[in-house]
Amino acid sequence: MDLLDLIDAAQSVADGLLFGSTYALLGIGFTLIFGVMHKINLSYAAASIGAAYGSLLLLSGFTAAPAVIVFMAAALCGGVIGALVYFIGFKFIPVANPLATLMSTVGLLLLIDEIIVHTTEGVPLAYPALYSDVVVRLGQFMLRGDLMFVFVLGCACMVLFLLLLYRTRLGIATRAVSQQPIASQLCGISILQVNVLTFVVTGMLGGIAGAMSGAAIGMLSPLLAQPLTVKGLIVTVIGGLGSIPGAIIAGLIVGALESLFQFLRGVTERDLYIMMLLFAFLVFRPGGIFAKAPGRD
Amino acid sequence: MLDVSELVTTYGKIEALKGVSLHVAGGKITCLLGPNGAGKTTLMMTIAGILRPRRGSIKLEGAELVGLSPAKIVSRGIALVPENRLVFPEMSVRENLLAGAYQRRDKSEIAADMERMYARFPQLKERREQLAGTLSGGEQQMLAVARALMSRPRVLLMDEPSLGLAPLIVAEIFDIVAALNRDGTTMLLVEQNAHMALKVAHQFFLMEQGRVTFQGTPGQLAEDEVIQRAYLGTRRAG
Ligand SMILES: Nc1ncnc2c1ncn2[C@@H]1O[C@H](COP(=O)(O)OP(=O)(O)O)[C@@H](O)[C@H]1O
Ligand SMILES: [Mg+2]
C-alpha cells in the first residue's frame, strides 16, 4: 500500500466515523429500551426508517421544506410510532415470557416493512441531503458536508438525550425503573409512564437516525430497515446491553470499521468482517466495551 | 391511623396472608414480629400497593387504599423502606434522595428536606455524590430510610431494617427509629430482632403462617415467649 492508499483508507475511516453517529443513535435506542424493560425491541430500526418515510409524507404538500423541519417531522413521527409500538407490541404482552415480546416486535418489524413497501410500491424515494454541496478540505482529506451535518446533528441529539437522562426528574425516574423497578414504584414513579416515555424518546432518536441515514445516502428505501436492524443490534451488543456510553462508542467504531472494510475488501464483504467483530466480542468480551465489574450485594 | 382488615394475598394458589387484621396507631411505633415466611413482607408489599390483595381492606384515616397504584399510595402518605433496602445502585446518594421525592414539586422544600436528611445521616452527606451501590450495608439502609422520608410520609413502613447489619449499626438504626418517632412519624416496623423491637415498640403484633396470632403491648407477654414465637413459631407440642 502506498501513501495515497493510506490516505484513502483514512478518508474512508473518517467518512464511516461520521456516518457511525447514526448507528450510535440506534444503539442508544435499543439499549435504553433494554435497560428499562429488559426486552429487545426488534422493530426499532424499521420504525426509524418508517419515521423518516413519515416525515416525507407529512411534508409532501410542501416543496423543499427546510432541513430543520424535515428532521423535526421525522422526530415527531418517530415519537408517535414509538408509542404505538409500545402499546401494540409490549403493553398487553405477558412480561414474564421473554420470547413473547421478541415475537411481537418481529411482527411489528414485518408490518412496518410491509406498510412502507405498499405505500411506496417499493420504489426508493429521494431524501433531501443537506449541505451535500459543501466540502471541507483539510490537506489531503475531504470531509463531506452532508456527513458532517449528520455527525453534528447526531452528537447534538446525544448530548440532549444525556442531559435528559442525567439532569432531569424524568431521567432519574427512567434510571430508577431500570435499576430497581420495585423501589422505583415505592418512590411513587409510574412504570407505565416511564415505559411510554422511553418509547417516545427513543422513537424520536430513531426518527432522527432514520432521517440522518436518508440524508447521508440521499434516498430512502425499504431495504434499509434490515441492515440497520442488524447494525443496531451489533452496536448494542458490542457496547454492552444497557450501556449508553457503550452504544455511542460502539456506533462510531462499527461505522468506521464498516467503511474501512468496504474500502479494503469491497461492499460485498464488509458485513462479514463486522460479523466477525461481533463474534470476537461475544467470545472474548460478552459484556461489551464497558463490561462492568460485578456489583456489591 | 392505618387499619388493615381481613387481608388475603396470594401467590398463585398459595395464600401468604390468610385474613390479616391489624391497627397502627397514629404517632406510635407498631412492631410486627414473626418467623421467616410468616407473611410480613407480603403484608408490607400489599399495603404499599405492589401486591394486589384478593380480599380485605387497607384504610388510611378511613380512606381505602386497596386498588390504588403504588404511586397513588405514596401520594396518600405511605412510604415503605423495603426488605433488602433496594437502593438504586447506579445512582448517587443525592439522586436516590431525589427519586424519593419524585411525587413532590416543591423544589425549595425538597432541597431543604435533603439538607435535613444530611443533618440526620452525616455519613450520607459525606457520600452524596457516591454511587449508592458502593455504600456499606449500614449506609445503604440509612439511604433507604432517608429516601422513604423524602416523600414526607404520614406512615413509615420498615421491613427488617436491621437485616444483615453489624450489632453496632443495628443499635444506630433503632436510635433513628426512636428519633423519627419522637418527631411525630407513625411507624410500622417489621423485625426479626425481637429484643430490640420490643424496646422501642408501643404495641406489637405477632404473625405466624399468614395470620396475626397475638397482639399487645411490650411487657404483656414475657420477652422470651415472644422471642420463642417470633423466631420459631408456636410450639407444636405443649
Ligand atoms: N414471590 C413469591 N412467590 C411465591 N411465594 C412467595 C413469594 N414471596 C413469598 N412467598 C411465600 O409467601 C410466604 C410469606 O413470605 P414473606 O411475606 O416473604 O414472609 P416473611 O417476610 O414474614 O419472611 C412464604 O411462605 C413464602 O414462601
Ligand atoms: Mg420478609
Side-chain angles (χ1 to χ4, degrees), chain B residues 36-37 40-42 83 159-160 190:
Chain B
N36 263 332
K40 306 179 298 295
T41 298
T42 305
E83 192 174 50
D159 195 349
E160 303 212 35
V190 168

Side-chain angles (χ1 to χ4, degrees), chain A residues 11-75:
Chain A
Q11 175 73 55
S12 66
V13 168
D15 287 350
L17 208 58
L18 296 182
F19 187 71
S21 55
T22 315
Y23 295 154
L25 284 189
L26 288 176
I28 289 177
F30 275 110
T31 227
L32 186 72
I33 290 173
F34 182 82
V36 169
M37 307 203 53
H38 302 277
K39 296 283 186 325
I40 300 276
N41 172 13
L42 284 174
S43 68
Y44 181 59
S48 304
I49 294 297
Y53 270 103
S55 68
L56 286 184
L57 201 67
L58 266 188
L59 302 171
S60 55
F62 307 88
T63 43
V68 201
I69 305 289
V70 176
F71 278 85
M72 276 166 57

Side-chain angles (χ1 to χ4, degrees), chain B residues 9-12 14-17 32-45 51 83 159-160 190 192 207 209-210:
Chain B
T9 301
T10 57
Y11 296 103
I14 307 161
E15 276 198 346
L17 302 182
L32 186 60
L33 306 171
N36 263 332
K40 306 179 298 295
T41 298
T42 305
L43 174 61
M44 294 300 207
M45 290 298 210
L51 297 174
E83 192 174 50
D159 195 349
E160 303 212 35
V190 168
Q192 283 279 335
M207 237 180 113
Q209 296 177 18

